[in-house]
Structures are given as structure tokens and as C-alpha cells.
Amino acid sequence: WDETHFGKMGSYYINRTFFFDVHPPLGKMLIGLAGYLSGYDGTFPFQKPGDRYEQHNYIGMRGVRLCRLVSSSAAAIPPVVVVLELSKSLPAALLTAFILIFDTGCITLSQYILLDPILMFFLMGAVLSMVKCNSCADRPFSASWWFWLSLTGVSLAGAMGVKFVGLFVVLLVGLNTVYDLWDLLGNLSLSLVVFGKHLLARVLCLIVLPLALYTAMFAVHFAVLNRSGPGDGFFSSAFQSQLIGNNLHNVSIPE
């Protein structure tokens, strides 16, 4: 059923038809983009599970590369690095890779048009970036430190932009950040100015950057979906007047 639902959402993006859904837009926009780039024209109705796609090119939406990175053999890469960084044990990292590569749940998820594999990609990216940033703690404000800290913020925005359950990885990174700052505050060799720089860097990369990217996702969402469709009635008359094909399109709406 979920493939029918999210496949239809991808078609809405291709047709630029406005719709209302409970999930943030990033995952569905990526599905729609994959379909568009692979030649899908957005005409399949997605009425019920099990309908044959016939001549419709659905491969692109099922094969979103973000999904494949997480749900195929490449899924081993981020967990291997994370486990290797945390445990310093190559056998433990290889065991993690083996378990993930042959996990039938991941293999099954990778076959359909779903948000979960895309979500897993950003969740794993956030954890990997956080761990790599922690490994650069002995050289703060270096290029690699800034890179991994910024990539953590980008991954947090991606996780929240696919599903709200991404909030859990935001909580994980937040707790890790609080621990780091508390440890730095107790370091008597650091001045308050240096501590302030650490605090400001984390505010910029882990709060401001994710919020800016999250907001930008919705800006793109509303810019693309400019035609009337299901869900118009959930919004104000002034908003409906901006949608092509709506009965109120270009009508002057008093404040």
C-alpha cells in the first residue's frame, strides 16, 4: 500500500499538482525527481496495490540511489566506519557489514517506492558524521572538523525532511553536543572565548544550517506544486488563489 501512496506523491511532483500529506516533502521530492530523470511521465494512476505498471517507467522511482546506498551491499560502508571508529575493532566492523548486507528487511525495502530507505540514509549519515566529527576533537576548527560538523547538520535536515521520526537522531546528536560542550566547559585550559567559538560553531552547523535547509525544502515544495489538486481545501482562500486551475485562481482575496 505504501508504494501506491508514495508513488502517487511522486507523480504529483512530476505533474506539479498540489497535494496535502502528513510527511515533510524531501523524500517524496526525491522520488518524483528520480521518476522524472528516468523518463516517467507521471500518468500512472496508483489506484491500488498490485496494479501492473505496464509500459510506465517505474524503475527510477524504485531505484532511487539514496535507497540503494542504504539497502544494498553499500549499506555496509557507514556502519563499518561508525563501528570501527567507536570500537577500533575490524572484526566487529566486518560482522556489522555482514549482518547488514544479508538483512532481508533492507533488501526488501530497497525494492519498492518507500520513504524508509531514504530516511535510513540520512539517519546513518548523521550518526557517521557525528562520530567522525568526534574523532577530530583533538584538532578543532580544522577543515575536516568543519566538514564533518556541517555534514552532520545537513544530514539532520535530511532526516527531518523525510519523516518526523528523524527527530530521534536530532535528539541523539543534541545529547552528544551537550556532552561535548560540558566537557569543554570543564577544561580549565580553554578560555571562555574559545568555548564561545565552540558553542557558536555548533549553533551555526547544528541548528541554523538544518533549519535553513529544512525551510528551503518547503520553499521548493511550494514552488514546484503550483497547480490545483487534492488537498486545496485544507488551505486558505488566499493560498488557493495562487494555484493554477483552482476556482479562486487570481481572484482578489480581501484580507
Side-chain angles (χ1 to χ4, degrees):
W1 184 88
D2 276 356
E3 179 173 74
T4 302
H5 177 71
F6 295 119
K8 184 179 292 185
M9 301 299 105
S11 297
Y12 284 150
Y13 280 106
I14 294 174
N15 296 316
R16 307 193 67 175
T17 302
F18 185 79
F19 67 94
F20 177 79
D21 189 53
V22 297
H23 298 296
L26 179 59
K28 293 166 292 188
M29 285 196 294
L30 290 174
I31 290 172
L33 178 63
Y36 175 78
L37 294 177
S38 62
Y40 171 58
D41 57 7
T43 58
F44 187 73
F46 286 101
Q47 291 180 342
K48 65 181 186 296
D51 284 347
R52 294 186 179 276
Y53 289 104
E54 302 296 347
Q55 78 281 3
H56 296 278
N57 187 356
Y58 63 94
I59 299 299
M61 292 194 294
R62 275 190 173 179
V64 178
R65 292 309 165 199
L66 293 179
C67 303
R68 294 299 182 185
L69 284 172
V70 174
S71 303
S72 67
S73 59
I77 298 173
V80 162
V81 177
V82 171
V83 174
L84 198 58
E85 287 284 347
L86 294 176
S87 67
K88 306 301 181 184
S89 170
L90 183 59
L94 292 175
L95 177 61
T96 303
F98 179 85
I99 291 172
L100 281 172
I101 289 173
F102 295 100
D103 183 272
T104 54
C106 287
I107 295 173
T108 302
L109 281 177
S110 72
Q111 298 178 21
Y112 301 104
I113 305 171
L114 301 173
L115 296 183
D116 303 272
I118 307 175
L119 174 66
M120 289 167 61
F121 173 83
F122 287 111
L123 292 177
M124 201 68 247
V127 175
L128 171 61
S129 302
M130 179 189 71
V131 171
K132 292 296 290 183
C133 185
N134 288 344
S135 69
C136 298
D138 58 337
R139 48 188 191 281
F141 308 112
S142 62
S144 58
W145 185 87
W146 277 111
F147 172 78
W148 289 114
L149 187 64
S150 300
L151 191 59
T152 303
V154 172
S155 299
L156 292 180
M160 282 293 296
V162 175
K163 275 189 174 184
F164 288 124
V165 73
L167 181 64
F168 286 105
V169 78
V170 175
L171 179 62
L172 172 65
V173 173
L175 291 174
N176 177 77
T177 302
V178 170
Y179 176 83
D180 283 344
L181 290 174
W182 182 254
D183 189 52
L184 290 170
L185 186 62
N187 187 348
L188 299 180
S189 64
L190 290 180
S191 67
L192 286 179
V193 174
V194 175
F195 175 79
K197 290 180 180 179
H198 277 279
L199 177 61
L200 182 61
R202 285 161 174 79
V203 169
L204 289 175
C205 294
L206 301 181
I207 298 178
V208 176
L209 177 60
L211 286 177
L213 292 175
Y214 186 77
T215 305
M217 294 171 198
F218 280 91
V220 175
H221 170 78
F222 287 114
V224 172
L225 305 182
N226 62 355
R227 299 180 181 276
S228 180
D232 289 11
F234 290 104
F235 295 83
S236 68
S237 300
F239 178 81
Q240 293 181 48
S241 69
Q242 307 297 315
L243 298 175
I244 300 172
N246 191 281
N247 293 332
L248 299 176
H249 181 55
N250 283 338
V251 174
S252 177
I253 306 295
E255 289 294 333

